[in-house]
Amino acid sequence: MHERLVGTLILSRYGAEVLTDNKVVSENVAVAPRYLHGAEDGDKVIVEIIHPATRKQPPMGKVVDVLGHSGDNDAEMHAILAEFGLPYDYPKEAEQEAGEIDSDISTQEIYRRRDMRDVLTFTIDPFDAKDFDDALSFRQISESEYEIGVHIADVTHYVEQGTLLDSEAYNRATSVYLVDRTIPMLPERLCNELCSLRPNEDKLTMSVIFTMDEKAKVLKHKICRTIIRSDVRLDYDQAQAIIDGQAEQGESAHGGTICGDVIAAIVELNRLAGILREDRFRHGAIDFEREEIKVLVDEKGKPTGFKLEESTPSHHLIEEFMLLANRTVAQQLSGTNKDVVYRVHDVPDPDKIEALSKFVHQFGYSMNLPKRDQKNENGTRSATKAIKKLLSDSTGSVEQELIHTLAIRTMPKAFYSTHNIGHYGLAFPYYTHFTSPIRRYPDMMVHRLVSKYLLSGKAQSTIGDLEESCRHCSDREQLAVAAERASVKYKQAEWMEQHLGEAFDGIVSGVTDYGLYVQLTDSHCEGLLHVRDLGSEEYWAFSEENYCLVNEHTGEKLTLGDKIRVEVIRADALRRQINFKRADSR
């Protein structure tokens, strides 16, 4: 396939050309009239290169799709997706195939499953969620024992291998979450209707049923197919109100009833989750939890402000039981001696950890790192202990955000593989993704492996080349993350277009030889403060090792984490760029 680029079509008396959004491609792409395919001046288009540039002429291309008018919200969001090779619409044939799926649950299918419709069950999700792929059930079976079910939508019951739906889901590999929309992995009929664990509806699930004691010790577990019926749908704020003792009984705004049994179950599950969480950190897990800023938009996609999203005990409750289910499934699958899809995370690079140690020393922090030749388990454990201590010691300090960000950057990215190296960040020897099959294809792969190797009943076809599938899903995941970040940067720049000339407080988030990157304190918008806009005519020397710029005349040093006040001098949403000048220059 020829290279494809995204850009804006410009028509003039000299002809047509596409001004590309790609920062790497410096030349515009010329388009002959016969290759315009109905595109008009100012349209956002996808152009395919048919002749590369030469010394005498620019690259030549043809328009393969028109996304809309440049600057329109839908056109720009589609352009971001196209830039990263991600789909922005769903094939009609796949939608039609989803529409033909029988929604009735037969008596025979119910007979094949463990019927848990009479067990107290509920979901906890974000306020605006539509696809509910996990639910918890709770039942006290003795004075000191509980039965806790982690129920996951049985997507593979509806999406069979070899179908167009499955092929489309595999190609996408993940749902993509942009600022103002979700581009689902599955058609809406599946993700929001058939598979979604909505309250007061019978749903087919794949479950891990735990018997636990009052100290959160798992006494036994069972992986099985089930049928459930959620009693109530809660959002995280509602669940947190219950945990805080501030909830009132009555109808939930999202469906179902918040009764005394639901309140008692969530309170007890929260207590058990707290024990699981403490135990996880005690065994080496690293807490990289950070506050996230969400961009708020109106019905037209225009940014209206920013909201700080904090992780609360209600989030931790769900997280801990999902982690427990994921590692339990991974460990049981590993015992089959078959190829298994793992979610793995390698140990950090010693050079990066050493560089972090040198940098934080200037803030008064010391990291007791193992010797460079100590590459055994004890060395890894010592490095982990040093990272955790650094994160703990810096919490609440002025430089907390900076140090936590740099610590995260020392970590390799987690990925999918059939070669198990464990999950360093979670401190799990076995880990996989089982709990989100509506939005992640690897979870569908794991469900099929569970069916094939652990459960009897519905036959599964050949799984295929798992390692190649793991690489594909890992790659698509990274593209989805990049697109999400690009959509945030677009909205941040769009927001800043309304605030030109205004001054804001920020911190230095990056240092280069040409200037500083500054992240604003309130909105987390990040932009470039070029050396020429630092308010001084003197030369600024760049120290890569110390992450700083030094004024050679005054000796002033600007480094990562420094507070700084800046003024917005330019914002370009189309190029997702913000530029500052120093507002407190002397």
Side-chain angles (χ1 to χ4, degrees), residues 500-538:
L500 295 176
E502 296 183 27
F504 298 89
D505 292 323
I507 62 168
V508 176
S509 56
V511 184
T512 71
D513 57 351
Y514 52 82
L516 307 171
Y517 284 94
V518 177
Q519 185 182 80
L520 303 186
T521 305
D522 292 335
S523 65
H524 282 211
C525 295
E526 187 178 60
L528 174 65
L529 172 57
H530 199 278
V531 287
R532 64 173 175 265
D533 298 312
L534 277 172
S536 175
E537 299 298 326
E538 289 83 19

Side-chain angles (χ1 to χ4, degrees), residues 400-464:
Q400 172 186 334
E401 182 73 15
L402 167 67
I403 290 177
H404 285 215
T405 298
L406 291 177
I408 289 173
R409 290 177 184 173
T410 67
M411 297 292 128
K413 290 181 173 61
F415 59 98
Y416 300 103
S417 178
T418 58
H419 307 293
N420 185 34
I421 58 173
H423 197 294
Y424 172 77
L426 294 174
F428 291 156
Y430 302 95
Y431 191 65
T432 191
H433 275 169
F434 168 81
T435 54
S436 293
I438 288 178
R439 61 184 180 90
R440 294 187 305 224
Y441 195 83
D443 300 57
M444 289 177 59
M445 293 163 61
V446 170
H447 277 224
R448 286 172 176 149
L449 290 169
V450 168
S451 293
K452 186 174 184 178
Y453 298 133
L454 301 182
L455 305 179
S456 58
K458 188 174 180 180
Q460 295 286 314
S461 58
T462 303
I463 299 297

Side-chain angles (χ1 to χ4, degrees), residues 262-425:
V262 170
I263 293 173
I266 289 178
V267 169
E268 187 60 17
L269 285 169
N270 177 64
R271 186 187 70 81
L272 295 170
I275 298 173
L276 290 172
R277 187 173 176 83
E278 290 177 7
D279 186 65
R280 186 160 59 83
F281 290 136
R282 188 167 56 252
H283 283 83
I286 302 176
D287 185 5
F288 285 120
E289 195 170 275
R290 301 170 66 198
E291 295 178 340
E292 298 288 341
I293 291 287
K294 180 179 181 180
V295 184
L296 303 176
V297 296
D298 62 20
E299 65 278 359
K300 294 182 179 180
K302 286 287 184 182
T304 59
F306 302 87
K307 176 185 177 184
L308 181 65
E309 292 196 322
E310 298 179 276
S311 186
T312 64
S314 63
H315 292 85
H316 300 159
L317 187 163
I318 294 298
E319 178 185 25
E320 292 306 322
F321 282 103
M322 296 306 117
L323 290 175
L324 180 62
N326 283 334
R327 62 171 170 160
T328 299
V329 169
Q331 185 164 4
Q332 191 154 340
L333 280 173
S334 71
T336 64
N337 295 318
K338 306 287 186 180
D339 282 345
V340 173
V341 174
Y342 295 101
R343 179 71 170 178
V344 298
H345 184 220
D346 208 349
V347 297
D349 184 336
D351 290 338
K352 291 184 177 181
I353 297 295
E354 192 170 311
L356 174 66
S357 177
K358 290 179 180 178
F359 176 73
V360 299
H361 184 72
Q362 63 185 293
F363 294 102
Y365 300 99
S366 61
M367 296 180 68
N368 185 22
L369 297 177
K371 295 180 180 179
R372 290 302 304 269
D373 59 351
Q374 193 176 355
K375 297 182 179 179
N376 56 23
E377 185 176 340
N378 289 333
T380 299
R381 192 179 297 115
S382 297
T384 302
K385 186 176 180 180
I387 294 170
K388 292 176 68 173
K389 186 175 187 302
L390 173 66
L391 295 176
S392 175
D393 290 348
S394 60
T395 296
S397 67
V398 173
E399 59 275 1
Q400 172 186 334
E401 182 73 15
L402 167 67
I403 290 177
H404 285 215
T405 298
L406 291 177
I408 289 173
R409 290 177 184 173
T410 67
M411 297 292 128
K413 290 181 173 61
F415 59 98
Y416 300 103
S417 178
T418 58
H419 307 293
N420 185 34
I421 58 173
H423 197 294
Y424 172 77

Side-chain angles (χ1 to χ4, degrees), residues 244-255:
D244 294 338
Q246 299 173 355
E248 295 183 1
Q249 298 187 39
E251 295 300 309
S252 169
H254 307 296

